[in-house]
Amino acid sequence: MESRQGPGGRGARDPYFDNAKYLTIVLVACGHAWEPLTYGSRAVTAVYLAVYAFHMPAFALVSGYFSRSFDMAPGRLRRLVGGVVVPYVVFEVAYTLFYRWAQDDPGYPISLLDPWYLMWFLAALFIWRLTTPLWLQLRHPVPVALALAMLMSIAPEAGGDLALQRVVGFLPFFVLGLTLRPEHFERLRTRRARLWSLPVAAATLVAAYVVAPWFDAGWFYHRGSVTGLGAPAWAGLITTPALFALAVVLSACFLAWVPGRTTVFTTLGTGTLYAYLLHGFLIKSSRFWGWYDHPWLHTPAGELAVTATAVGVITLLCTAPVRRVFRFVVEPNIPWAFRRTGPAAKAEPPASEVPGRAVVRP
């Protein structure tokens, strides 16, 4: 995602969004780390449900906000290939090889059409970005995207190639981001908005605690149709807009509390794609080798320790040394892959090298 302008003026990078990206990736890591703890703790399950109700929608929304300028220009298409397609191919293969080794399953297939674990988001981002010009031409893009998500939720056979069930399920949040402007975020960055967010967050946690023993978190994953969750197909026509509204409200509450000034983790927000792609190896290792088998981890102290570890690890993966080591696969420079289309194309440097412009990753 390209960030060429913040609310402070054209060409100024707004630390608010880097802060938001860092805090969002922290929630992603914590959610993945908490999942094994939910089987024995109602409190952890409640927090897990509350976070999953909005953290990926917020991810998609911010991605859409920074995709507003995508217009199929050669330079942007090249950056889409280098910043999304290449990392998708590299990490999809890497995760599959890792699974083969860890599970002693050398025959496990490599399939670029069936994203493994975290990789669905890059597949989604590629599709969302390519369709951006179309969404920007529609008079009412968000209702159209929401209607598509509703129809997808009742289609049991639609979630195969490229994780299309998830791509379309989270599409309304991306499209909503396309329609937002800096002034919308300014309205959230007020004392009044923060105060309103407190009772909403409290009510959400209480509701999550009440439903924790029986509610299926799969409703927030959008991995398949609602029939796979034991609900009749028509339920998707009701639950999809309801969950969309809930996620938008909770995302607004979260974004209201994101600091607008430069903080200790502002710089970390520029490395969230690295953290997203790399932390999956640790999360899967914890499952493959039974790191959660120790009973102490399922005590309150252990749950806090798991949370602190998740925050520490994801923070480390956002740091500059990690970005330097893995830049060749996460943000590869591949001018050799494209033909020259003229002096303008030849002269255009990568977005990360243009003053006042920055590649903003989810």
Side-chain angles (χ1 to χ4, degrees):
M1 290 167 287
E2 296 175 20
S3 174
R4 293 182 292 177
Q5 179 181 348
R10 184 171 183 83
R13 179 163 185 148
D14 188 350
Y16 171 80
F17 292 104
D18 286 327
N19 295 335
K21 290 190 286 96
Y22 169 76
L23 293 174
T24 305
I25 198 65
V26 166
L27 292 179
V28 170
C30 287
H32 290 154
W34 289 335
E35 192 271 337
L37 303 176
T38 61
Y39 300 103
S41 172
R42 184 171 181 175
V44 173
T45 302
V47 176
Y48 177 86
L49 291 175
V51 167
Y52 263 80
F54 76 92
H55 79 313
M56 285 311 298
F59 231 48
L61 185 149
V62 175
S63 299
Y65 178 72
F66 285 111
S67 297
R68 295 170 300 154
S69 63
F70 188 84
D71 57 3
M72 293 290 188
R76 291 192 173 95
L77 287 172
R78 294 179 183 190
R79 287 193 292 275
L80 181 62
V81 172
V84 177
V85 176
V86 173
Y88 173 79
V89 172
V90 170
F91 279 89
E92 179 67 24
V93 173
Y95 271 116
T96 303
L97 295 178
F98 175 68
Y99 180 91
R100 288 181 176 182
W101 170 71
Q103 297 294 94
D104 193 22
D105 184 5
Y108 190 78
I110 296 175
S111 175
L112 298 181
L113 294 180
D114 185 15
W116 196 76
Y117 193 36
L118 301 171
M119 302 312 300
W120 74 268
F121 187 79
L122 289 189
L125 188 59
F126 176 72
I127 295 171
W128 296 340
R129 190 73 61 79
L130 282 182
T131 59
T132 290
L134 173 62
W135 294 114
L136 293 177
Q137 291 298 314
L138 294 179
R139 187 183 298 271
H140 303 293
V142 176
V144 172
L146 187 57
L148 289 176
M150 293 165 63
L151 292 175
M152 184 65 78
S153 73
I154 64 175
E157 304 298 329
D161 292 347
L162 292 178
L164 285 180
Q165 200 90 40
R166 284 185 135 183
V167 172
V168 180
F170 287 99
L171 174 64
F173 303 102
F174 178 85
V175 175
L176 176 61
L178 290 176
T179 68
L180 296 179
R181 297 295 180 265
E183 55 267 26
H184 294 121
F185 292 93
E186 287 289 349
R187 293 171 188 169
L188 292 176
R189 297 159 65 173
T190 62
R191 185 172 181 272
R192 182 180 181 183
R194 294 188 183 102
L195 291 177
W196 273 106
S197 71
L198 294 178
V200 174
T204 300
L205 287 172
V206 170
Y209 188 83
V210 171
V211 305
W214 54 267
F215 185 81
D216 190 340
W219 286 99
F220 299 133
Y221 301 157
H222 298 290
R223 287 177 180 166
S225 70
V226 297
T227 57
L229 295 168
W234 58 262
L237 302 179
I238 300 173
T239 58
T240 300
L243 293 176
F244 173 78
L246 174 65
V248 170
V249 170
L250 294 181
S251 295
C253 293
F254 165 74
L255 292 170
W257 281 94
V258 172
R261 65 186 184 282
T262 299
T263 67
V264 67
F265 44 75
T266 300
T267 302
L268 298 171
T270 64
T272 52
L273 182 61
Y274 293 80
Y276 180 82
L277 293 174
L278 294 171
H279 89 284
F281 291 102
L282 295 174
I283 295 298
K284 282 300 182 181
S285 294
S286 72
R287 309 316 196 245
F288 293 156
W289 292 299
W291 294 359
Y292 286 84
D293 292 345
H294 198 292
W296 179 79
L297 292 178
H298 299 268
T299 66
E303 292 160 0
L304 291 175
V306 168
T307 303
T309 301
V311 174
V313 169
I314 207 70
T315 299
L316 177 65
L317 294 178
C318 289
T319 58
V322 172
R323 298 202 300 270
R324 283 195 294 268
V325 171
F326 291 98
R327 181 169 289 120
F328 75 102
V329 290
V330 178
E331 295 182 285
N333 185 20
I334 52 171
W336 49 266
F338 306 103
R339 63 185 181 88
R340 298 180 180 180
T341 57
K346 179 180 179 181
E348 182 178 8
S352 58
E353 297 178 8
V354 179
R357 298 175 66 186
V359 176
V360 182
R361 303 293 184 190

